[in-house]
Short mmCIF file of all heavy atoms in Angstrom, two decimals:
data_model
loop_
_atom_site.label_atom_id
_atom_site.label_comp_id
_atom_site.label_asym_id
_atom_site.label_seq_id
_atom_site.Cartn_x
_atom_site.Cartn_y
_atom_site.Cartn_z
N ALA A 299 224.81 -58.51 54.05
CA ALA A 299 223.40 -58.90 54.03
C ALA A 299 223.01 -59.73 55.23
O ALA A 299 221.90 -59.58 55.78
CB ALA A 299 223.10 -59.67 52.74
N VAL A 308 213.21 -62.52 62.08
CA VAL A 308 212.45 -63.09 63.20
C VAL A 308 211.07 -62.45 63.37
O VAL A 308 210.24 -62.99 64.12
CB VAL A 308 213.23 -62.98 64.54
CG1 VAL A 308 214.54 -63.73 64.46
CG2 VAL A 308 213.48 -61.53 64.90
N VAL A 325 209.88 -61.77 76.86
CA VAL A 325 211.01 -62.59 76.43
C VAL A 325 211.15 -62.55 74.92
O VAL A 325 212.26 -62.48 74.38
CB VAL A 325 210.83 -64.05 76.93
CG1 VAL A 325 211.99 -64.92 76.44
CG2 VAL A 325 210.75 -64.09 78.44
N PRO A 396 231.38 -53.94 60.07
CA PRO A 396 232.19 -52.74 59.78
C PRO A 396 233.31 -52.98 58.78
O PRO A 396 233.76 -52.05 58.10
CB PRO A 396 232.75 -52.34 61.17
CG PRO A 396 231.84 -52.98 62.15
CD PRO A 396 231.38 -54.25 61.50
N THR A 421 222.00 -53.58 48.60
CA THR A 421 222.02 -54.82 49.40
C THR A 421 221.42 -54.60 50.77
O THR A 421 220.63 -55.42 51.27
CB THR A 421 223.47 -55.32 49.53
OG1 THR A 421 224.00 -55.57 48.24
CG2 THR A 421 223.52 -56.59 50.35
N VAL A 437 209.33 -70.33 57.81
CA VAL A 437 208.47 -70.82 58.88
C VAL A 437 207.34 -71.69 58.31
O VAL A 437 207.04 -72.76 58.84
CB VAL A 437 207.89 -69.65 59.69
CG1 VAL A 437 206.80 -70.13 60.66
CG2 VAL A 437 208.98 -68.94 60.46
N LEU A 458 229.27 -70.88 55.46
CA LEU A 458 230.33 -71.76 54.97
C LEU A 458 230.78 -71.33 53.56
O LEU A 458 231.98 -71.28 53.27
CB LEU A 458 229.85 -73.21 54.95
CG LEU A 458 229.64 -73.86 56.33
CD1 LEU A 458 229.05 -75.26 56.18
CD2 LEU A 458 230.95 -73.91 57.10
N ALA A 489 227.55 -48.11 77.54
CA ALA A 489 226.62 -47.70 78.59
C ALA A 489 225.58 -46.72 78.06
O ALA A 489 224.39 -46.80 78.44
CB ALA A 489 227.42 -47.06 79.74
N ALA A 504 207.38 -54.93 80.16
CA ALA A 504 207.65 -55.13 81.59
C ALA A 504 206.77 -54.27 82.47
O ALA A 504 206.83 -54.37 83.72
CB ALA A 504 209.13 -54.82 81.87
N TRP A 511 212.82 -46.07 84.03
CA TRP A 511 212.84 -44.60 84.14
C TRP A 511 214.20 -44.11 84.62
O TRP A 511 214.71 -43.08 84.14
CB TRP A 511 211.72 -44.11 85.04
CG TRP A 511 210.38 -44.46 84.52
CD1 TRP A 511 209.50 -45.40 85.00
CD2 TRP A 511 209.74 -43.92 83.35
NE1 TRP A 511 208.37 -45.47 84.23
CE2 TRP A 511 208.49 -44.56 83.22
CE3 TRP A 511 210.11 -42.94 82.43
CZ2 TRP A 511 207.60 -44.25 82.19
CZ3 TRP A 511 209.23 -42.63 81.41
CH2 TRP A 511 208.00 -43.30 81.28
N SER A 513 217.02 -45.65 84.12
CA SER A 513 217.96 -45.84 83.02
C SER A 513 217.83 -44.70 81.99
O SER A 513 218.85 -44.15 81.54
CB SER A 513 217.67 -47.19 82.34
OG SER A 513 218.56 -47.42 81.27
N THR A 537 243.54 -41.36 69.02
CA THR A 537 242.36 -41.64 68.20
C THR A 537 241.31 -42.32 69.07
O THR A 537 241.41 -43.50 69.38
CB THR A 537 242.71 -42.58 67.00
OG1 THR A 537 243.74 -41.97 66.22
CG2 THR A 537 241.48 -42.81 66.14
N PHE A 545 233.33 -35.47 62.95
CA PHE A 545 232.06 -34.80 62.67
C PHE A 545 232.26 -33.41 62.08
O PHE A 545 231.29 -32.73 61.76
CB PHE A 545 231.22 -34.73 63.96
CG PHE A 545 230.75 -36.09 64.40
CD1 PHE A 545 231.51 -36.85 65.27
CD2 PHE A 545 229.55 -36.61 63.94
CE1 PHE A 545 231.10 -38.11 65.66
CE2 PHE A 545 229.12 -37.86 64.35
CZ PHE A 545 229.90 -38.62 65.20
N PHE A 567 208.15 -49.61 60.86
CA PHE A 567 207.14 -50.04 59.89
C PHE A 567 207.18 -51.54 59.67
O PHE A 567 206.15 -52.22 59.65
CB PHE A 567 207.37 -49.31 58.56
CG PHE A 567 206.63 -49.92 57.39
CD1 PHE A 567 205.27 -49.69 57.23
CD2 PHE A 567 207.30 -50.70 56.47
CE1 PHE A 567 204.58 -50.24 56.16
CE2 PHE A 567 206.61 -51.27 55.40
CZ PHE A 567 205.25 -51.04 55.25
N GLY A 587 204.67 -62.07 54.95
CA GLY A 587 205.99 -61.71 54.44
C GLY A 587 205.95 -61.22 53.00
O GLY A 587 206.53 -60.19 52.67
N VAL A 608 222.31 -40.24 40.34
CA VAL A 608 223.15 -39.35 41.15
C VAL A 608 224.16 -38.62 40.27
O VAL A 608 224.43 -37.42 40.46
CB VAL A 608 223.86 -40.15 42.26
CG1 VAL A 608 224.88 -39.27 42.98
CG2 VAL A 608 222.86 -40.69 43.26
N GLU A 645 196.11 -55.24 48.12
CA GLU A 645 195.73 -53.95 48.67
C GLU A 645 196.95 -53.07 48.94
O GLU A 645 196.92 -51.84 48.78
CB GLU A 645 194.93 -54.12 49.96
CG GLU A 645 193.54 -54.74 49.77
CD GLU A 645 193.61 -56.25 49.52
OE1 GLU A 645 194.66 -56.87 49.85
OE2 GLU A 645 192.62 -56.81 49.02
N ALA A 653 206.61 -46.68 47.72
CA ALA A 653 207.51 -46.49 48.86
C ALA A 653 208.87 -47.13 48.62
O ALA A 653 209.91 -46.57 48.98
CB ALA A 653 206.87 -47.08 50.14
N ALA A 697 211.40 -50.18 68.97
CA ALA A 697 210.98 -49.86 70.32
C ALA A 697 209.91 -48.77 70.33
O ALA A 697 208.86 -48.92 70.96
CB ALA A 697 212.18 -49.41 71.15
#
Side-chain angles (χ1 to χ4, degrees):
V308 298
V325 178
T421 300
V437 170
L458 291 175
W511 298 108
S513 180
T537 302
F545 292 89
F567 166 77
V608 172
E645 291 78 17

